[in-house]
Amino acid sequence: MLLFSLFLLSSRGFIASAFVVNPSLKTLSFFNLNHHAVAGTDQSLYARGTTAVFASSIPIETELVETEQSMMNVAALRNDCRDHLLMIEQQEAKRDSFDKNKSLFEGLGVGAAMGVLAGGIAYIQGQSIEKALQEFAVFAVAVGGSIGYNNYSGGRVFVMTEAAAINRLRVDYIEGLLRGGDMAMVARTKNLKFEDGRYQPTNGVVGCIDWQLRNLNKSEAKKKYGKYPYHAHFKNMLVDEGVRRQGIGSKLLNAAEKYLRSKTDIELMTL
């Protein structure tokens, strides 16, 4: 028997609950954790819910994330469907949107304002007018010139290198997958023109779910996550906003459950 735990938020607070599924996958009983049945049976583990589920309007396939490229697709999805190339393209477009001459004079203006402030402070502190003018000149010329040149040369907007953009995605979004501590399943479409090509940077990935296998060691003393048996803990699930309310989340959960049943000996799935 496989137990699936779930924490629900209600008007009375958090309700700890669990799904108990028989191995044949034909029946489902929904229990709270004090073992009183609160619902009947159903053929789908994820059929119950407060949100209606509709048939997907695009063909969706699910697959296990196994390669680094597929991990980068997950990172792009989590980054609002932007891969490293699109990130750089957007930064370059923002940089090029600024007028160079206007940016130059804005930089000089910043330096002049700082010079006036520095010179004024020097004069108020009792220094001579000559010294105050020197302070003004240093900031107006050195700081203003530096900022102005930086703006004119396109440095007003930072544009990452390709290596830096890839590293940003890796560190911010898929570090657990790259380390091997997490596993993931994705939902993808082969129609890359769908939603005006929004999913081209993700190679068609429109949703993902990841989990971590915990307490593999049977020894009670070496368990890191409470007294739970060997189990899978679902950490994150995302379906892009453009394709939500079409049953993709349910499809991901069911695909992950099927994989875990066939490939592992877990006794529990937790959220």
Side-chain angles (χ1 to χ4, degrees):
M1 182 175 290
L2 184 63
L3 177 68
F4 189 100
S5 71
L6 174 66
F7 292 91
L8 301 176
L9 180 63
S10 74
S11 59
R12 297 183 180 180
F14 284 97
I15 303 175
S17 306
F19 287 110
V20 181
V21 191
N22 89 356
S24 68
L25 286 179
K26 293 181 179 179
T27 60
L28 164 69
S29 295
F30 183 44
F31 286 78
N32 61 25
L33 291 187
N34 61 12
H35 305 297
H36 297 297
V38 295
T41 61
D42 200 307
Q43 292 185 353
S44 173
L45 178 59
Y46 308 105
R48 303 188 189 283
T50 58
T51 303
V53 177
F54 303 95
S56 176
S57 60
I58 56 174
I60 295 293
E61 298 177 354
T62 57
E63 60 185 48
L64 188 69
V65 173
E66 298 182 280
T67 67
E68 185 168 334
Q69 179 57 56
S70 61
M71 294 178 192
M72 292 301 295
N73 294 338
V74 171
L77 174 70
R78 291 173 172 174
N79 191 39
D80 195 24
C81 295
R82 299 182 302 158
D83 63 1
H84 63 287
L85 296 177
L86 183 55
M87 290 170 62
I88 295 171
E89 180 182 327
Q90 291 177 339
Q91 291 168 353
E92 290 174 338
K94 185 175 181 181
R95 178 198 62 194
D96 296 341
S97 68
F98 289 102
D99 181 86
K100 288 186 175 182
N101 292 324
K102 183 179 179 180
S103 295
L104 169 62
F105 285 107
E106 286 177 350
L108 294 173
V110 171
M114 294 179 65
V116 170
L117 180 62
I121 292 175
Y123 185 74
I124 291 172
Q125 291 177 341
Q127 299 186 37
S128 66
I129 187 66
E130 291 81 5
K131 182 64 176 176
L133 289 173
Q134 288 177 2
E135 291 290 331
F136 167 78
V138 167
F139 278 91
V141 175
V143 176
S146 177
I147 296 176
Y149 174 77
N150 181 71
N151 288 353
Y152 184 81
S153 61
R156 184 169 185 169
V157 176
F158 175 69
V159 178
M160 290 184 287
T161 64
E162 186 170 334
I166 291 173
N167 186 64
R168 174 68 62 83
L169 290 172
R170 289 165 62 96
V171 172
D172 288 354
Y173 298 109
I174 54 171
E175 188 175 10
L177 291 173
L178 290 168
R179 290 200 317 264
D182 298 345
M183 301 182 69
M185 187 81 67
V186 297
R188 66 185 305 170
T189 174
K190 294 181 179 179
N191 182 8
L192 298 185
K193 295 182 179 180
F194 178 72
E195 290 285 316
D196 297 323
R198 174 171 172 80
Y199 305 111
Q200 285 184 345
T202 69
N203 286 314
V205 172
V206 299
C208 66
I209 185 171
D210 64 43
W211 64 87
Q212 188 178 71
L213 296 177
R214 296 179 172 180
N215 290 347
L216 173 60
N217 194 302
K218 300 296 184 179
S219 172
E220 189 76 22
K222 293 186 178 181
K223 289 181 179 179
K224 295 182 179 180
Y225 300 96
K227 296 182 179 180
Y228 292 116
Y230 179 38
H231 67 284
H233 178 72
F234 289 101
K235 299 174 65 177
N236 305 285
M237 185 172 74
L238 170 67
V239 175
D240 188 64
E241 59 184 357
V243 291
R244 290 175 186 168
R245 295 178 62 83
Q246 299 186 52
I248 295 174
S250 296
K251 183 172 287 191
L252 278 168
L253 283 166
N254 284 319
E257 181 199 358
K258 182 178 180 180
Y259 170 83
L260 289 166
R261 282 180 176 276
S262 63
K263 302 296 184 180
T264 72
D265 296 321
I266 62 167
E267 302 176 46
L268 187 73
M269 290 188 287
T270 62
L271 296 175

